[in-house]
Every structure is written in structure tokens, then in C-alpha cells.
Amino acid sequence: MASFKLGDHKSKRGERNIYLNFYYDGNKHPFKWNTNIAINEKYWSKKKQRAILTALHQESIQINEELNAVDETINRIYNKLRGTLITNEILRQKITNGNFVDAASQDFFKFARNNNLRLKTDTMRTWNATVSIIEGFQKKYGSIGFESFSVEFYNKFKDYCFKDLGYKDSTFSTRIGNLKAILRNAEEMGIVVNQGYKSRSFKKIKYVSNAVYLSEEEILRLRDFDFKGIASYREIADDFIVRCYIGTRFSDSDIKKSNIITEKGIDFLKIFTKKTLTQVHIPVHKTARKILDKYDWSIKKFSNAHTNEALKDIFRIAGFTSVISLAETVNGEVRIIEKQKWELISTHTARRTLATNMFLFGVSPSLICVITGHTTEKQLMDYVKADNLSKALLLSKSGFYK
């Protein structure tokens, strides 16, 4: 008997995937399948196990037709198998060739490239980069499929990334994170995946982030620097400074006067973040306002790649040449390297700058999250880049030492 229920995970749009539970032959563990059909729970009837037919949700008719097709398909497959040994794995293998999952999706590379279209552009880019690396690995070690991702694969892939590609731990961890996301997605769609990827050994490597931030004095120093007529550099630097006080990601371009709301005499910038799809209200700092007014709240925007390249040149010209010792990890081994500060600057430095300076000013992490949009304080503290001395100075101002 087939039944349908909503999954536990809720998307940012408030939708949950509908799962099939198929009970057969007294089996205590039903065959479970993610139909990959999503619906808002307010339009779902638990009693009827179908979408509620209402003018407010026009998709209900189509959803119910698709669920009826799923019900019919699983029963047809079961009836064909009746009289033979039936297991959940056998049912899963039979549901191919146009039933729930088409045969092409069983190919890892086709699946990985065809099922990322719902991702955001930046996520899709890193996902595709990971797939390309695995294709390179395949050329050296042989065919790769969903059954390949064992702990043995992980160890070979790790050696390949470090020895052949010269990866640092941070890059390798990104690739493993992407791969695990692809495999989780495949499993949710009913594809049989080697369970080795869930092993504790199949993991990202912990590493020390070498991101930097700007102190208040450094921000003002950049603001007052004369770029001698290089208009684009002045604009890029000013946009960076604004984000040091607003904390938005580079992808969030809603820094417009029309997005200002006033509450109890205080102006707030209301922004809907693209990455997390959350709305934040950010008080408009006087330094940011002064710069935005200079451009009539319309600073010219360049691409992220161009801006990152230009920022390094901007900070080099502006004299941010202090030498910073960094701990770099490669294949778990830590080595100390030295770089000048300008080499470590990127668009994301501005966002880290706001989080760090607010923390050092004594603002509680929970309140900083209101501005940055982080869902947990742990996520936020990964952004706070104050050194131990700065944190100790902050601690000395607490009531404990008075």
C-alpha cells in the first residue's frame, strides 16, 4: 500500500518534498522514496495525502496527478515482482527508465551537471568546478559512478588533489563539501549511492582561515587616500568602505535610497539577501551615508572578479603593505608563510570587517547576527577575525577587571 507524507526539511520558500512510503508483504521497513515534488504544507491534506484543491494554489491539480502516477507505478512494479524475492533495494533498482528517475540520471556526471540548475550562480560554479576535478581524477584512475564513492575513493582523491593539483586544505574541503551535497541530492531522488561518503573518514579537513579585516583607522585611511584621478579605483574603494559599515555581501546590490525606512527617527536600510533569502534591517552609518550621498546612492558596480583584482591594486597603492604571518595547511601539515596585507583583501573582507569591528566595540554576537543575517552565533564567529590581543583588550574592559 502506498502512502504519502511531507518530509522534515523545509525550503526557504516554505515548501517540503513529498515522500512515498510503500508497505508490502508485512515488511516493517517500508520502501521510501523522495518524489521530488514540493508543496507548502498549508496546501497539503494529511488525511487525504494529496494537495488541497483550492483557487489559492493552482498547482494542486498537477501535483495530485503526479502523485497518482507515482502510486500507479509503484503498484505496477510490485505486481510484476510478486512471487519473487522483493526488497527495498530491488524496488529502488526497478524504478528507472522513465518511472521516477530517468536512466540518464544514473550517470554521476550527467546527474551532477543537470541537477544544479536550481542552485544559485556562485554555488553552481563551485559545484561544476568540483565535477570537472572528478572528471580529471577519472581519467587517471578509471570510471566513476555513484557506486564509486567509498573511503578508498576518498583517500585516492585526497592524494590526487594534494599531490597532482597542489591543493591547500581549504580548496580540498570545498570539493569534498560539494561532492557530499551532490550525493545527498542523488539519494533524495532515489539513486543508489555508495554509503562510504557518509563515513567519518570521508570528511572535510579543518583548516585555519587567513582572512583579514580593517580596523576603523584603516577604513578612514582608505577613505582619505588620493588615487590621483583614477575614478574607477575611487568608486571601488568607496563601495568597499560602504560595505564595511553595512556588511552586505557583494551579491546584494540593494543599497538604494528607495530601500531606506525610518523608524523612531532612525534610518534603516532594508535588504533582502540573495544568498539566504532573509530580510535584514541595517542602521545607516554616518560614514556610509556621506559616501552614498556623494554618488546620489548609485555607486558604479563592477563584476566580482574585476573588483577583487582591483581591490588588491587599490590597497597596494594605498600602502597596506604590512607583513602578516599566516598558518597555511596543506594535507594537514601546517606551515608559516608571510604575505603583505593587500594580497589578502577581497570583496568579502568588508563584511568580515563589519562583524569584527562590531564585536570589538562590544556589540553582542546575537545583535550582530541581526545585521549580517547569520542564523547562528557560531557561523558569525567564523567571520570575526580579531587577533588574541584585540580580544584580550576587549576582555579587559569588562566588569570583571574593574
Side-chain angles (χ1 to χ4, degrees):
M1 181 184 73
S3 64
F4 296 97
K5 62 180 291 188
L6 299 186
D8 295 328
H9 176 72
K10 183 189 291 186
S11 73
K12 293 183 176 69
R13 294 192 300 176
E15 295 180 335
R16 300 179 190 271
N17 277 10
I18 302 172
Y19 284 78
L20 162 71
N21 284 337
F22 184 67
Y23 296 85
Y24 62 95
D25 299 346
N27 196 332
K28 293 181 180 179
H29 303 288
F31 171 66
K32 295 183 179 181
W33 187 274
N34 183 356
T35 67
N36 218 34
I37 303 169
I39 189 172
N40 191 303
E41 58 187 330
K42 66 182 177 181
Y43 300 119
W44 177 255
S45 169
K46 288 184 180 179
K47 183 177 180 180
K48 295 182 178 180
Q49 299 178 18
R50 292 293 187 274
I52 298 170
L53 298 177
T54 169
L56 298 176
H57 192 250
Q58 308 255 331
E59 297 90 347
S60 289
I61 294 175
Q62 181 180 346
I63 287 175
N64 287 343
E65 288 177 352
E66 291 178 5
L67 293 179
N68 290 339
V70 170
D71 194 336
E72 179 185 339
T73 300
I74 188 63
N75 278 290
R76 184 178 69 248
I77 290 172
Y78 171 73
N79 288 331
K80 284 184 178 179
L81 293 172
R82 184 174 285 177
T84 66
L85 174 66
I86 303 176
T87 67
N88 288 348
E89 285 305 312
I90 290 174
L91 289 175
R92 195 179 302 279
Q93 291 168 14
K94 292 292 182 181
I95 300 177
T96 54
N97 301 321
N99 292 322
F100 297 160
V101 181
D102 60 42
S105 70
Q106 301 295 328
D107 180 284
F108 170 77
F109 295 102
K110 287 181 180 178
F111 175 87
R113 293 199 186 281
N114 294 336
N115 286 272
N116 66 3
L117 299 179
R118 59 190 177 85
L119 302 175
K120 297 180 179 65
T121 302
D122 288 344
T123 306
M124 190 187 301
R125 189 180 297 115
T126 62
W127 189 321
N128 283 334
T130 297
V131 175
S132 296
I133 297 302
I134 297 173
E135 284 175 330
F137 176 86
Q138 178 179 239
K139 290 178 182 178
K140 181 173 182 178
Y141 289 99
S143 180
I144 294 292
F146 285 106
E147 73 285 352
S148 304
F149 299 103
S150 61
V151 174
E152 182 183 0
F153 161 86
Y154 173 87
N155 291 328
K156 284 185 178 179
F157 185 64
K158 184 179 176 183
D159 282 345
Y160 174 75
C161 287
F162 287 120
K163 294 177 181 178
D164 291 34
L165 305 181
Y167 273 4
K168 297 176 184 175
D169 286 8
S170 56
T171 310
F172 174 74
S173 293
T174 297
R175 300 293 170 240
I176 290 299
N178 289 159
L179 175 57
K180 289 170 79 76
I182 293 170
L183 298 178
R184 282 195 301 271
N185 187 271
E187 273 203 300
E188 286 178 359
M189 293 185 68
I191 296 173
V192 179
V193 177
N194 190 313
Q195 296 298 291
Y197 87 94
K198 295 180 180 178
S199 166
R200 289 184 178 182
S201 301
F202 204 114
K203 63 182 180 180
K204 296 192 285 186
I205 297 175
K206 291 184 179 180
Y207 61 92
V208 178
S209 171
N210 289 321
V212 295
Y213 79 102
L214 300 189
S215 66
E216 182 73 17
E217 293 75 16
E218 288 176 315
I219 297 173
L220 298 180
R221 176 177 147 200
L222 180 64
R223 181 197 65 181
D224 297 336
F225 186 80
D226 183 4
F227 287 100
K228 301 186 185 302
I230 309 177
S232 63
Y233 275 15
R234 182 70 271 165
E235 287 176 324
I236 290 172
D238 283 344
D239 180 71
F240 180 89
I241 293 167
V242 167
R243 293 179 190 277
C244 285
Y245 290 106
I246 291 178
T248 54
R249 297 179 181 85
F250 188 80
S251 59
D252 295 322
S253 56
D254 294 335
I255 306 177
K256 303 172 185 175
K257 207 165 191 176
S258 58
N259 289 332
I260 292 290
I261 63 170
T262 303
E263 186 71 27
K264 295 184 178 180
I266 301 173
D267 286 344
F268 295 86
L269 187 63
K270 183 173 70 173
I271 291 180
F272 194 75
T273 63
K274 290 182 179 179
K275 182 175 181 179
T276 59
L277 301 179
T278 55
Q279 193 175 81
V280 295
H281 294 82
I282 305 169
V284 182
H285 193 281
K286 60 182 180 181
T287 301
R289 180 190 290 278
K290 191 173 290 187
I291 292 174
L292 289 166
D293 285 343
K294 181 173 74 172
Y295 293 93
D296 195 25
W297 285 70
S298 185
I299 303 178
K300 185 177 179 180
K301 193 81 178 281
F302 299 88
S303 71
N304 190 51
H306 175 81
T307 303
N308 275 325
E309 185 178 346
L311 279 172
K312 286 178 171 53
D313 204 30
I314 286 168
F315 277 82
R316 181 185 60 79
I317 292 171
F320 286 78
T321 55
S322 58
V323 176
I324 299 174
S325 295
L326 306 170
E328 184 178 79
T329 51
V330 178
N331 200 9
E333 295 182 8
V334 180
R335 62 188 182 193
I336 304 301
I337 62 171
E338 290 186 342
K339 287 193 175 184
Q340 294 186 356
K341 189 162 190 173
W342 64 266
E343 297 179 87
L344 303 171
I345 300 294
S346 70
T347 56
H348 220 61
T349 305
R351 183 167 163 80
R352 294 182 186 277
T353 292
L354 174 78
T356 303
N357 284 334
M358 291 184 79
F359 175 78
L360 294 176
F361 194 76
V363 180
S364 71
S366 61
L367 287 178
I368 300 175
C369 285
V370 173
I371 303 297
T372 61
H374 287 103
T375 55
T376 67
E377 292 184 21
K378 182 181 183 301
Q379 288 178 332
L380 170 72
M381 294 311 292
D382 287 339
Y383 268 66
V384 173
K385 294 303 169 187
D387 57 30
N388 288 335
L389 177 58
S390 298
K391 292 177 181 178
L393 287 171
L394 177 64
L395 180 63
S396 71
K397 297 175 184 177
S398 68
F400 184 83
Y401 290 98
K402 291 181 180 177

